[in-house]
């Protein structure tokens, strides 16, 4: 799925494919490839550029967002999605790195993959758009379900990789592998922006927000994950031995810990940042792959989309600190 032909006929391994949004000129109605008109030779974007058809000076905000209608492979219903096309392929041959525009074979491969049914492992959950402060960022761009944040090839690759990990019998190794690949859930999505001025195109999504940019770098799993074998798996687990002492790790509501009075030696607490981070919303994409989703009703947050204000946040945090005081042993620490 991630191979292309070099100029001399050798097979190259794709690192990433750049997709550009197609915009409409408000003056003449022509379709404009954003990458071709806005990207400068040094990898930076022009604030203004000329329409190739009529010459009118434009900027991104003045242009019309264009859509195309395609049959969704999951819902089997017509879906309006942002109009975009591949414009650049970065690939390797014998240790050398090259770039090319997609040729006919590359485009045909993308079309064939688009017609494939999605793996069952790819989640199709609908985002809680109506209760998301970031819903207004993704819904107008044609994204309402989890599988729609991936171009078809990325969905196929990540879905197959997820299935391979699920087949691992040994639970500890399986969990390590899930730890390894779950950062690619965001990194392989259309929220991964193309930024050629950076060293790598891995995990270039904006943090703390669902944002779909005009230029998307569809990176391969190899490009995204191969270095993580050493930097993540080895460093995280090489010194971890089996624990023989009784240990319990759980998740839950800090306002109802379910522990006896005066039973805890030490409390470390890191209260949520009010309305700066929408935790449950941001977790939804990753949690959908695991099939366990946060209950936002108990989330200590200020969020107008969920009808939670400052007073609600104060009361929920007070309940937590009252609970800390109840379970903490006298003379111990928080």
């Amino acid at each position: 799925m991630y191979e292309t032909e070099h100029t001399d006929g050798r097979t190259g391994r794709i690192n990433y494919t750049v997709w550009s949004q197609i915009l409409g000129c408000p003056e003449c109605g022509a379709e404009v490839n954003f990458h071709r008109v806005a990207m400068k030779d040094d990898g930076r974007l022009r604030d203004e550029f000329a329409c190739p058809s009529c010459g009118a000076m434009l900027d991104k905000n003045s242009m019309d967002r264009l859509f195309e209608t395609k049959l969704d492979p999951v819902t089997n219903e017509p879906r309006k999605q942002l109009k975009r096309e591949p414009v650049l392929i970065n690939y390797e041959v014998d240790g050398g790195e090259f770039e090319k525009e997609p040729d006919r074979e590359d485009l045909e491969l993308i079309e064939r993959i688009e017609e494939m049914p999605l793996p069952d492992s790819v989640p199709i959950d609908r985002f809680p758009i109506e209760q998301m402060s970031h819903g207004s960022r993704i819904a107008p761009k044609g994204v309402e379900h989890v599988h729609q944040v991936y171009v078809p090839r990325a969905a196929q690759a990540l879905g197959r990789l997820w299935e391979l990990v699920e087949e691992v019998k040994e639970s500890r190794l399986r969990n390590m592998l899930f730890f390894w690949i779950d950062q690619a859930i965001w990194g392989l999505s259309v929220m991964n922006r193309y930024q050629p001025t950076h060293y790598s195109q891995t995990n270039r999504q904006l943090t703390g927000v669902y944002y779909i940019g005009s230029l998307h770098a569809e990176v391969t799993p190899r490009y995204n994950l191969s270095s993580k074998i050493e930097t993540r798996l080895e460093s995280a687990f090489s010194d971890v031995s089996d624990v023989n002492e009784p240990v319990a790790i759980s998740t839950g509501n800090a306002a109802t810990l379910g522990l006896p009075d005066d039973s805890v030696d030490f409390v470390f607490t890191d209260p949520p940042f009010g309305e700066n981070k929408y935790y449950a919303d941001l977790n939804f994409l990753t949690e959908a792959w695991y099939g366990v989703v946060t209950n936002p009703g108990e989330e200590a947050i200020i969020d107008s989309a969920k009808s939670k204000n400052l007073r609600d946040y104060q009361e929920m945090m007070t309940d937590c600190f009252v609970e800390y005081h109840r379970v903490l042993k006298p003379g111990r620490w928080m």
Side-chain angles (χ1 to χ4, degrees):
M1 288 200 298
Y2 289 107
E3 291 184 344
T4 189
E5 186 176 350
H6 190 44
T7 53
D8 59 7
R10 287 180 295 170
T11 299
R13 298 194 309 175
I14 296 176
N15 291 323
Y16 56 85
T17 301
V18 180
W19 292 76
S20 173
Q21 189 174 349
I22 307 300
L23 302 172
C25 174
E27 301 296 329
C28 69
E31 294 189 357
V32 179
N33 184 301
F34 180 71
H35 178 269
R36 294 200 174 102
V37 298
M39 183 66 68
K40 296 191 289 187
D41 292 338
D42 63 1
R44 302 181 185 276
L45 294 175
R46 295 183 176 90
D47 294 328
E48 288 188 326
F49 41 83
C51 170
S53 296
C54 68
M57 293 306 297
L58 306 169
D59 60 50
K60 179 182 171 183
N61 293 330
S62 68
M63 303 188 73
D64 299 323
R65 187 181 292 161
L66 299 184
F67 293 85
E68 57 185 353
T69 300
K70 293 192 175 183
L71 190 68
D72 189 285
V74 174
T75 65
N76 288 321
E77 296 179 352
R79 172 203 165 204
K80 286 178 60 177
Q81 62 185 32
L82 285 177
K83 191 167 187 177
R84 57 169 69 94
E85 62 184 27
V87 294
L88 181 70
I89 295 177
N90 179 285
Y91 65 100
E92 296 177 12
V93 175
D94 296 336
E97 187 173 328
F98 305 90
E99 291 186 344
K100 56 176 276 191
E101 290 189 6
D103 56 31
R104 180 173 55 84
E105 287 78 13
D106 295 316
L107 298 177
E108 288 177 351
L109 175 62
I110 291 173
E111 290 176 1
R112 291 202 304 272
I113 293 173
E114 189 172 337
E115 296 173 356
M116 296 170 59
L118 280 180
D120 292 337
S121 57
V122 178
I124 60 175
D125 308 59
R126 185 180 184 274
F127 285 99
I129 299 291
E130 295 77 14
Q131 286 79 46
M132 288 176 62
S133 289
H134 294 159
S136 60
R137 288 183 175 271
I138 58 176
K141 295 186 176 182
V143 172
E144 291 193 0
H145 295 259
V146 170
H147 68 282
Q148 295 168 349
V149 302
Y150 303 95
V151 296
R153 179 166 52 183
Q156 292 287 341
L158 186 56
R160 181 56 183 143
L161 191 59
W162 199 266
E163 289 175 348
L164 290 173
V165 174
E166 286 180 323
E167 293 171 2
V168 175
K169 301 298 184 183
E170 205 281 306
S171 61
R172 190 164 181 264
L173 176 59
R174 184 173 63 249
N175 289 336
M176 289 180 186
L177 292 173
F178 276 132
F179 175 81
W180 171 54
I181 68 172
D182 77 3
Q183 57 86 39
I185 291 173
W186 280 74
L188 267 62
S189 77
V190 294
M191 291 177 286
N192 190 58
R193 300 168 297 156
Y194 175 54
Q195 294 182 297
T197 55
H198 287 73
Y199 169 74
S200 167
Q201 299 308 311
T202 298
N203 292 346
R204 299 253 56 87
Q205 68 272 5
L206 287 172
T207 58
V209 64
Y210 286 101
Y211 175 75
I212 301 173
S214 297
L215 298 175
H216 161 51
E218 178 204 356
V219 300
T220 69
R222 175 187 58 82
Y223 182 84
N224 184 284
L225 290 167
S226 59
S227 65
K228 308 301 188 301
I229 288 288
E230 296 179 359
T231 59
R232 276 181 176 261
L233 280 189
E234 186 173 337
S235 62
F237 297 109
S238 60
D239 294 331
V240 176
S241 58
D242 291 334
V243 177
N244 296 319
E245 298 297 325
V247 172
I249 299 175
S250 65
T251 59
N253 188 342
T256 54
L257 294 175
L259 298 172
D261 294 350
D262 305 334
S263 61
V264 173
D265 290 291
F266 181 71
V267 173
F268 180 90
T269 184
D270 185 13
F273 297 142
E275 60 182 338
N276 291 340
K277 292 279 181 71
Y278 303 106
Y279 299 95
D281 292 353
L282 294 169
N283 288 341
F284 188 89
L285 175 57
T286 299
E287 290 176 341
W289 283 86
Y290 287 101
V292 180
V293 180
T294 296
N295 175 13
E298 298 182 343
E299 183 181 24
I301 193 174
I302 302 171
D303 187 350
S304 59
K306 296 180 177 63
S307 301
K308 291 186 177 184
N309 56 30
L310 177 60
R311 176 57 63 86
D312 297 316
Y313 177 75
Q314 290 173 326
E315 291 177 352
M316 296 183 82
M317 291 310 306
T318 299
D319 291 342
C320 292
F321 277 83
V322 168
E323 183 74 344
Y324 301 155
H325 182 267
R326 182 186 69 79
V327 301
L328 198 62
K329 294 177 182 178
R332 301 297 177 163
W333 304 273
M334 178 170 70

